Amino acid sequence: MLESMTTDTPARLLQLLSLLQTPREWPGGELAERLGVSRRTVRRDIDRLRELGYPVQAARGADGGYRLVAGKALPPLVLDDEEAVAIAVGLRAGAGHAVEGVDEASVRALAKLEQVLPARLRHRVSTLQAATTPLTSGDGPTIAPETLTVMASTVAGHERLRFAYRDRDGSESRRLTEPHRLVSTGRRWYLVAYDLDRGDWRTFRVDRVSQPFATGVRFAPRELPTGSAAEYLRQSIQRRQEIYEFAVRFAAPAERVSARLPARLGMPEDDGEGGCVLRGTCGDPLEWLAVRLAMAGCEFTVREPSELLEQVRELGGRLSRAGADVPEEGALR
């Protein structure tokens, strides 16, 4: 049997792999017809894929069916255009909104995928991303996925990173760093890096970063003062934050209140009078805590601290004034 023009072995192997990644069993004759080669060539190509680590299983029978099964390690995948776009959009959405559970591994995957996407697919991904607005329940600020992917690529490649940074007091600066790790806390992303201008380790909130630029200059990784980037970030946040204790009584059962508040604020306890009391510690801004307490959807009383009580009063006054400025029904007709 004479084979067709499909004589480029690497291209044929990729085409064969793409077919096998469809979850079905392929008869040898059908594969040969699809590839334009003989069944003997199909068998040789199957052997080559196995040598490369792809677990291809052969079925007994006259036609010798083949299918790809799960193996001990993850071999390279071949994606078509639609699959690549779908994965990139999904990773971008998760990374851009700091969804809990989407950690540095997801960002690394996004960086690798976008690095090899053809220009036409990168345009499709960007267009779809710009045209959609996900409904998220997170409290943290959103982040441009491009910022995360640039950072992830410099972390992986040990490449110096330059960016503009806005401190919490609003001051702007330019930073030249040796990036070490990206760390996600669920609500926010942080970059742990060695700041070359300051000669010391620093943590940067990624939502305050703009204009990230990979300089192309490689560096030898330094050793962190602590064992891991996550531990260094935790200690850094504790040093900067003022941790305060609070106590709030709600005029609703504990079960109802706990369902409406973040678990990290603690678990309220029923007080035996139809309400419950929530006690805990918090390092977030008092204004944020005041808003979260109001979202419990029931009457509540702040017992401590007095600073939180002031924030609640200020929030209540602001909401009352906003409601008073709304025209009566029908006034806008």
Side-chain angles (χ1 to χ4, degrees):
M1 174 181 176
L2 293 178
E3 297 187 357
S4 69
M5 297 297 291
T6 312
T7 57
D8 186 345
T9 301
R12 190 177 67 246
L13 285 176
L14 287 175
Q15 186 180 356
L16 173 60
L17 181 58
S18 179
L19 292 172
L20 291 174
Q21 285 178 344
T22 304
R24 55 162 288 191
E25 184 171 292
W26 289 87
E30 186 174 350
L31 287 175
E33 182 178 351
R34 289 285 192 106
L35 299 173
V37 296
S38 67
R39 296 190 185 190
R40 182 180 178 183
T41 299
V42 169
R43 289 194 296 270
R44 288 201 304 264
D45 288 348
I46 292 293
D47 289 338
R48 291 191 182 98
L49 289 179
R50 287 170 176 162
E51 292 172 359
L52 293 172
Y54 293 94
V56 182
Q57 186 178 79
R60 295 179 180 275
D63 209 14
Y66 301 96
R67 65 188 183 95
L68 197 62
V69 298
K72 295 182 180 179
L74 178 64
L77 300 177
V78 176
L79 305 173
D80 61 28
D81 286 5
E82 286 70 26
E83 292 166 341
V85 169
I87 292 174
V89 169
L91 289 172
R92 271 174 163 244
H97 292 270
V99 177
E100 187 171 2
V102 179
D103 56 13
E104 186 187 351
S106 299
V107 179
R108 291 200 309 268
L110 177 59
K112 292 177 181 178
L113 180 59
E114 293 202 338
Q115 185 177 5
V116 299
L117 281 180
R120 70 180 190 281
L121 297 188
R122 284 199 299 271
H123 177 71
R124 286 177 59 184
V125 171
S126 299
T127 300
L128 182 56
Q129 187 79 10
T132 58
T133 301
L135 180 62
T136 61
S137 58
D139 302 308
T142 59
I143 302 167
E146 293 82 0
T147 299
L148 284 172
T149 54
V150 170
M151 288 183 169
S153 63
T154 57
V155 168
H158 305 308
E159 185 177 349
R160 287 182 178 177
L161 175 71
R162 188 186 299 277
F163 53 86
Y165 192 68
R166 186 186 73 257
D167 289 317
R168 53 183 172 179
D169 61 1
S171 59
E172 302 277 350
S173 61
R174 297 288 301 180
R175 303 297 182 96
L176 178 62
T177 65
E178 294 178 352
H180 179 74
R181 285 289 185 276
L182 282 166
V183 182
S184 172
T185 65
R187 292 178 60 236
R188 292 191 178 101
W189 282 93
Y190 291 85
L191 173 69
V192 176
Y194 188 84
D195 192 319
L196 292 169
D197 294 327
R198 289 152 181 80
D200 200 2
W201 289 92
R202 291 288 189 271
T203 59
F204 302 94
R205 270 180 48 175
V206 177
D207 59 286
R208 293 176 178 168
V209 169
S210 61
Q211 303 171 31
F213 174 72
T215 65
V217 178
R218 306 286 178 176
F219 64 89
R222 302 172 188 262
E223 186 175 348
L224 265 175
T226 58
S228 69
E231 177 61 20
Y232 181 82
L233 174 64
R234 185 187 66 80
Q235 294 180 9
S236 176
I237 291 176
Q238 285 183 346
R239 287 193 299 267
R240 292 198 305 263
Q241 283 184 337
E242 179 183 356
I243 306 298
Y244 52 85
E245 297 181 352
F246 65 90
V248 181
R249 183 189 183 276
F250 295 90
E255 183 179 359
R256 173 184 166 188
V257 172
S258 63
R260 300 291 298 273
L261 294 178
R264 63 192 181 87
L265 290 180
M267 294 298 296
E269 298 180 358
D270 286 317
D271 60 6
E273 300 177 1
C276 65
V277 177
L278 176 64
R279 294 183 176 86
T281 59
C282 188
D284 290 289
L286 287 168
E287 185 178 16
W288 176 87
L289 181 58
V291 172
R292 294 303 305 184
L293 296 175
M295 292 176 67
C298 63
E299 299 291 328
F300 66 93
T301 304
V302 175
R303 294 182 175 177
E304 60 175 338
S306 59
E307 294 85 356
L308 177 58
L309 179 58
E310 290 301 319
Q311 282 288 344
V312 169
R313 287 173 176 168
E314 182 179 340
L315 176 63
R318 195 154 59 238
L319 293 175
S320 296
R321 291 189 295 274
D325 292 338
V326 176
E328 295 183 0
E329 185 178 356
L332 297 178
R333 293 180 181 175

